[in-house]
Amino acid sequence: MDTIRLAIVGYGKIARDQHHPAIDANPAYRLSAVASRNAAVPGVAHFETLEALLKEGPTVDAVALCTPAGVRTAQARLAMSHGKHVMLEKPPGATLAEIETLREDAARSGVTLFASWHSRHAHCVAPARRWLSTRKIQRVDIVWKEDVREWHPGQAWIWQPGGMGVFDPGINALSIATAILPRPFHLIDAQLQVPGNCQTPIAASLDFVDGLKVPIHAEFDFRQVGTPPIWEIHVETDDGRLTLEAGGSRMRVDGELREEGPDAEYAGLYERFAGLIGRGQSDVDVSPFRHVADALMLGYRHPVDDFTE
């Protein structure tokens, strides 16, 4: 395929801040259309809905779905039924079961389906995976804390069923952990703090173990007010302590800086998407989403003060 003619569906904050710049910077793509009820891009064909784009718009080869998870599956099925490759923002859907439907649709339609996890493309994730592959892991601690008012302003959907609450950023940490740790792990305990006026947690404390009973603990919190966010993973091994900082863009071993890189996660996503399209493959890994589903199913819910923006 020559240049991939791409449409963005849902032009909100994440599309504006991350997807659009990554597309513009990659010569494999041309942004041919946007489908969004509330935003348009100068010089780019605009439609209020994906249906209108597919019926009336310019020909596109692929779509990037940046809409809320609750509507994404129907949009993905529609796009694939028209022969379009599909990138799904995280999480890939509202439920695990519907992702299996999408996987079947992609295979039947002969198109690429990409369930994207942008944090896996942070600069130091691959180096961390390589470093850990030759060491014996003894313990893992994940700390992912940020101010919801800064990172999700006015996004009331995040507190509704399917919005995931603090797991919206927490799933980023889980996407890194499932990428760098050498063995699968599973949840054994989850404590969730849920505001009285919300359906999803504002904080969570999780305990996992892997097949060798290595303990993995995670603390997620949306109430990191007045201080910088903390996005860190600490791994104790028989040969030192590895730390990923700044969401995976900085790596230390026993406190010594080993590697640091720019924020190019979405550039990595679009490079991956183009490669999958070129090879006629799909990538639909739901392991981070599965851990969130387990936490929401097994978690003990503790009521806390109502949340106000």
Side-chain angles (χ1 to χ4, degrees):
M1 180 182 293
D2 295 326
T3 302
I4 300 168
R5 297 164 294 185
L6 186 78
I8 294 177
V9 182
Y11 198 82
K13 178 177 173 57
I14 195 69
R16 181 178 62 252
D17 294 350
Q18 300 290 350
H19 286 262
H20 194 171
I23 294 164
D24 283 350
N26 191 324
Y29 296 93
R30 180 173 72 249
L31 182 60
S32 297
V34 167
S36 180
R37 296 187 186 278
N38 302 311
V41 176
V44 177
H46 175 256
F47 304 87
E48 287 202 352
T49 65
L50 174 61
E51 290 84 350
L53 186 157
L54 293 171
K55 183 178 180 180
E56 307 165 12
T59 300
V60 298
D61 306 301
V63 298
L65 297 182
C66 304
T67 47
V71 300
R72 210 173 287 153
T73 290
Q75 292 174 334
R77 298 195 76 186
L78 177 64
M80 289 190 292
S81 73
H82 284 74
K84 313 304 178 187
H85 308 291
V86 173
M87 175 193 282
L88 302 166
E89 244 294 349
K90 59 89 181 174
T95 70
L96 284 165
E98 67 190 43
I99 308 307
E100 296 309 310
T101 302
L102 294 184
R103 196 193 305 268
E104 289 186 358
D105 285 350
R108 184 166 49 248
S109 300
V111 298
T112 290
L113 178 64
F114 180 31
S116 66
W117 302 104
H118 63 83
S119 290
R120 286 183 173 175
H121 294 268
H123 184 80
C124 293
V125 170
R129 179 171 58 248
R130 290 192 296 269
W131 193 88
L132 290 171
S133 68
T134 60
R135 274 115 180 142
K136 180 179 179 181
I137 296 173
Q138 299 169 335
R139 179 178 176 84
V140 181
D141 287 284
I142 302 168
V143 183
W144 223 258
K145 299 181 179 183
E146 62 186 58
D147 183 356
V148 65
R149 295 174 179 85
E150 176 182 354
W151 294 94
H152 296 275
Q155 297 180 19
W157 59 265
I158 206 168
W159 303 113
Q160 300 305 314
M164 297 202 306
V166 76
F167 287 112
D168 185 81
I171 204 170
N172 296 334
L174 293 171
S175 74
I176 294 176
T178 51
I180 66 173
L181 297 178
R183 292 178 298 277
F185 52 90
H186 65 274
L187 186 74
I188 57 173
D189 184 74
Q191 303 295 318
L192 312 178
Q193 298 184 35
V194 183
N197 60 342
C198 299
Q199 297 294 313
T200 56
I202 198 167
S205 179
L206 311 176
D207 285 293
F208 306 86
V209 293
D210 69 8
L212 298 181
K213 300 191 181 302
V214 172
I216 301 166
H217 181 73
E219 290 286 338
F220 303 152
D221 205 320
F222 252 160
R223 301 166 298 187
Q224 185 78 357
V225 179
T227 57
I230 302 173
W231 299 319
E232 297 179 352
I233 298 177
H234 308 275
V235 186
E236 301 285 351
T237 80
D238 62 342
D239 189 31
R241 185 180 203 237
L242 178 139
T243 296
L244 286 178
E245 301 174 339
S249 64
R250 189 163 57 242
M251 184 175 100
R252 297 182 187 275
V253 175
D254 291 335
E256 177 186 348
L257 182 64
R258 291 292 184 90
E259 193 155 351
E260 185 172 14
D263 179 3
E265 295 177 5
Y266 280 82
L269 280 187
Y270 277 94
E271 182 178 346
R272 172 73 171 157
F273 191 32
L276 290 169
I277 292 172
R279 294 187 297 274
Q281 298 174 345
S282 290
D283 178 357
V284 193
D285 176 21
V286 296
S287 55
F289 196 18
R290 186 182 299 115
H291 288 307
V292 171
D294 285 354
L296 293 173
M297 180 170 64
L298 296 179
Y300 186 92
R301 286 161 170 78
H302 304 269
V304 295
D305 292 343
D306 287 3
F307 172 78
T308 55
E309 183 84 33

